[in-house]
Amino acid sequence: MGDRTDWSAMRDRRMAESGAAEAYDAARLAFELGRAVRELRERRGWSQSQLAQASGMTQSAVARFEAGGTVPTLPVLERLAAALDVSLNVSFKPRDAAA
């Protein structure tokens, strides 16, 4: 048997690869946006199908988005915001010095 690598070492090695940090940030953003939409939908007591119908999307597209599986375009975010009766706020903030 060869040497086994623990998860932490493997993650550190992968994150050092070119483009890994950017891909990680994109995945994190997709997950956070999906979670926010899911929370808003659930507060309204809506199913994914109801949100899909109100926003002109399919249920499967809503499910993928809520799971963080897709990075949405601004028009998609605008449709979701309108369907959920919330305003969409896009902003730029300085990065943390520690990040």
Side-chain angles (χ1 to χ4, degrees), residues 30-40 65-68:
F31 176 79
E32 289 175 358
L33 288 168
R35 181 180 58 196
V37 167
R38 184 183 66 245
E39 288 172 0
L40 289 166
F65 174 73
E66 287 185 354

Side-chain angles (χ1 to χ4, degrees), residues 1-85:
M1 295 256 168
D3 291 336
R4 299 196 92 191
T5 302
D6 69 4
W7 172 249
S8 179
M10 182 182 290
R11 181 187 179 282
D12 291 345
R13 196 169 54 242
R14 294 285 183 170
M15 288 301 288
E17 293 175 5
S18 176
E22 293 82 3
Y24 179 83
D25 285 341
R28 179 190 51 78
L29 177 61
F31 176 79
E32 289 175 358
L33 288 168
R35 181 180 58 196
V37 167
R38 184 183 66 245
E39 288 172 0
L40 289 166
R41 176 183 59 77
E42 289 175 345
R43 273 190 232 147
R44 291 182 76 92
W46 280 4
S47 66
Q48 289 179 342
S49 295
Q50 288 170 305
L51 176 56
Q53 183 176 18
S55 62
M57 298 172 68
T58 63
Q59 179 276 326
S60 60
V62 170
R64 276 192 308 275
F65 174 73
E66 287 185 354
T70 61
V71 177
T73 62
L74 283 174
V76 167
L77 290 174
E78 289 170 335
R79 290 195 336 244
L80 288 166
L84 293 164
D85 196 28

